[in-house]
Each structure stands twice: as structure tokens, then as C-alpha cells.
Amino acid sequence: MKKKLLALILAGVLVLSLAACGGNDGGSDQTSGDSQAPQDTQEPAGGNDASGGASGETYEIGVCQLAPHPALDAATEGFQDAVKELLGEENVNITVNNAAGDSATCATIANNFVSSGVDLILANATSSLQAAAAATADIPILGTSITEYGVALGIENFSGTVGNNISGTSDLAPLDQQAAMVKEWFPDAKNVGLLYCSGEPNSQYQVDNVQAELEKLGYTCTQYPFSDTNDMASVTQNAASNSDVLYVPTDNTCADNTGVIDNICRPAGIPIIAGEEGICGGCGVATLSISYYDIGYKAGQMAADILTGKADITTMAIEYAPQFTKKYNESICTSLGLTAPDGYEVISAE
């Protein structure tokens, strides 16, 4: 009897022990559930990002701009406006670094962006694109203010899609139409000088193609390349002395030094047809203009699609300006006694 009683007592103790253990497990589950509750509350808050950020994700974007001048500034501005509008300003951190015209500084900037692990790089101008391409094959790179991507990246028979981690927008205006402007303004001229920086491959591309078009129109053409700002003035003087009119392509070094070119060419009475509006505003008489803000904005739209997974950069074709406008520099035209043909708009003063 005592043995049975002892057995019953031991069985009861065992049941109570098991119940106690079960109660502790339940308490652990509840504690774990309580600790997760705030996380569950926070996730929908991030998911409320109507601008496109995934679960409140903040995107880190690095912008490498080759130099400070109106065209590149406008492209960077357009890019930032589009990205902030589409992703939400609170969801984007954009770091803009300016290389002050130095290609080596572009490389440093690009490498710093890669080291810091940005989500996307905007390369504004050819040297910036080349530096970014050398720095990473993984981080998406969008170019803007790039004339010809095949030339900039050394791609033969370029089809319009780079096919790796690079895409972007081009600032190329139709070169045959630019050559036709020379004929429209100066039908009696004989010698056309093409002034550009030999260190910019896209400038070489432009002058080669414009020269071919000008020669079809009966002009004698001479290329006047300068290596950098050290020999720019002397080469410009030589070009002005031996030409009836000059053509200056979309060239970053020229854009940074329009005052030098104007101070030589205007007193000599030599007019300039320019490849873009910023250069024309500083030293030219006319240009076939695009909006750099627009191509920067388009690059921003492309960035938003890439970052949110709506597009694959490896299949994104290069985009071009949607429209071109004939414009003229009223001040320089007046100085040279020139009257703009019909259909040209005045370049507005900044």
C-alpha cells in the first residue's frame, strides 16, 4: 500500500514537472512573438513607399561629373530631379562629385563610389564613363552627356546596346544637320577649321563625321586638335588665321574654355558653328541644340527602373534627345554683323 502511495505521489510530481516545463515553453514562444511584433509593424511603414522604394529601402547613388559647365550641370540636375521624383526624395542619397576637368580625378571618384558600395553610378561625360567602367563591372552605370558610346567604350560595330552593366543617354545631335548649318549660314566660305581636344575620343568622332559631310558640300576642311589647355590658345589662333569659319563639336575642354576661344576668334571676325548650346553661348554664332536637362532626366528615369527591378540594364538601349532646336547667339552675331536665317531661336542669357 505504501509502495502504491509512493508511486502515485511520484507520478503526480512528474506530471507537475511536465506541466511546468510546458508552461515555460509557452512563455518563450510568447516572448519571441512580442519581440517580433515591432518589426512587423515597421515593415508595412516602409512598404508604404508610393514613390517606388522597396520596403523603405534607401538607394545610394554616386554622380561623377567631369567638369562644371552649363550643359553638364543641367544633365546632373535633370537626373537628380527624376530620381527624387520617381523614388521619393527621402529614399535616395545622391553624392555629386565634380572632377574639375581632370580624368585622373574621375578615376578616383569612381573607385571611391565602388569602395563605398553605391547602388548605381551616374557618369556625366565621357571621361567619367570610362573611369566608372574601369572601376566596376557589377554596379549599374548610367552615362549621360556621352556623344557615342561605342567610341567612348571602344566597342566596334556598336549596335546601340552596351550589353553589360552600362547604359545611358547620348547628347549627339545629327552631325549631317550640323554640317548643313555651316552651308546655311556661310554658303560662300571655302575653308572650315575643326577645333577640338584630341584627348576626347568623342570629339574626334564628331569632327571626322562632320568633315565628311562638309566635304560633300564642297568645303575644304582642316582639323585643328589641341592636347589640353596648355596649347589650346595657340592652336585656336592658328585655326582662326587659316579658316573662314570654325566648327567646334560637343567637347568638354572647349566648353570649359569658351572665353579663350571667343577672345581669339571674335576679334578676328571668325564665326563658329558649335556642337551644343553651352559652347555656342560662350563663343559660337549658331548650334543645333538639345536639352541637357532632358537627357539627364531620362537617365534618371532609367535609374529608377533599374533600382526598383523594373528594367535590366544589360538589355537597355542608349536613349537620345527627343528633339533638336536651331539656336543662335544674338550678341556674337551682332558683333560679327550676322543675321540669323529664319527658323532660329535666340539662346537666352543665363
Side-chain angles (χ1 to χ4, degrees):
M1 183 70 181
K2 288 182 179 179
K3 290 182 179 180
K4 289 183 179 180
L5 180 60
L6 180 60
L8 289 172
I9 292 170
L10 289 174
V13 170
L14 180 60
V15 170
L16 289 172
S17 298
L18 291 172
C21 290
N24 285 339
D25 286 345
S28 296
D29 288 344
Q30 184 61 44
T31 301
S32 176
D34 288 345
S35 67
Q36 291 176 356
Q39 296 176 4
D40 292 338
T41 301
Q42 290 170 5
E43 285 178 7
N48 265 340
D49 175 15
S51 303
S55 298
E57 182 175 2
T58 298
Y59 301 106
E60 300 290 339
I61 298 175
V63 177
C64 178
Q65 180 175 319
L66 174 62
H69 67 71
L72 301 187
D73 292 345
T76 294
E77 181 185 0
F79 176 82
Q80 292 184 90
D81 286 351
V83 167
K84 291 175 182 178
E85 177 184 326
L86 295 171
L87 297 178
E89 188 167 355
E90 69 280 6
N91 298 317
V92 183
N93 289 328
I94 303 175
T95 301
V96 179
N97 287 337
N98 198 302
D102 183 59
S103 297
T105 303
C106 287
T108 300
I109 292 169
N111 286 323
N112 286 342
F113 285 151
V114 173
S115 297
S116 64
V118 298
D119 298 304
L120 183 141
I121 296 173
L122 176 75
N124 192 348
T126 300
S127 294
S128 300
L129 179 68
Q130 292 168 334
T136 179
D138 301 315
I139 297 172
I141 300 168
L142 288 173
T144 193
S145 312
I146 313 295
T147 303
E148 221 289 328
Y149 281 74
V151 172
L153 298 172
I155 303 172
E156 294 185 5
N157 302 315
F158 181 59
S159 64
T161 301
V162 178
N164 51 25
N165 65 319
I166 299 172
S167 189
T169 58
S170 171
D171 62 1
L172 182 63
L175 297 173
D176 58 339
Q177 294 183 38
Q178 293 183 49
M181 289 177 66
V182 177
K183 189 71 171 179
E184 185 177 21
W185 279 78
F186 310 107
D188 298 326
K190 299 184 181 302
N191 299 303
V192 178
L194 301 107
L195 179 70
Y196 66 101
C197 177
S198 59
E200 297 191 32
N202 272 313
S203 296
Q204 185 71 63
Y205 171 84
Q206 290 173 83
V207 297
D208 286 346
N209 282 274
V210 169
Q211 177 172 338
E213 295 296 331
L214 287 170
E215 289 174 346
K216 291 177 185 177
L217 297 173
Y219 293 103
T220 299
C221 299
T222 304
Q223 295 188 12
Y224 293 93
F226 56 86
S227 58
D228 53 34
T229 54
N230 292 320
D231 63 339
M232 181 182 202
S234 60
V235 172
T236 302
Q237 183 65 64
N238 186 32
S241 299
N242 293 283
S243 307
D244 300 315
V245 57
L246 295 183
Y247 170 77
V248 176
T250 300
D251 182 291
N252 291 301
T253 309
C254 289
D256 280 343
N257 295 276
T258 56
V260 174
I261 299 172
D262 186 48
N263 288 338
I264 293 170
C265 293
R266 197 184 328 191
I270 304 301
I272 295 170
I273 298 295
E276 59 95 4
E277 184 174 334
I279 295 174
C280 189
C283 64
V285 297
T287 185
L288 187 61
S289 178
I290 68 166
S291 167
Y292 276 79
Y293 180 90
D294 286 351
I295 62 171
Y297 192 92
K298 181 60 182 179
Q301 292 177 316
M302 296 168 76
D305 286 344
I306 293 165
L307 291 171
T308 56
K310 295 178 181 176
D312 178 359
I313 193 170
T314 64
T315 62
M316 296 179 82
I318 302 304
E319 299 279 354
Y320 293 83
Q323 60 185 7
F324 310 97
T325 306
K326 290 181 175 181
K327 293 190 175 184
Y328 73 100
N329 185 324
E330 186 173 34
S331 174
I332 294 181
C333 285
T334 299
S335 297
L336 297 179
L338 298 172
T339 301
D342 293 338
Y344 280 78
E345 297 181 7
V346 176
I347 294 175
S348 59
E350 294 292 335

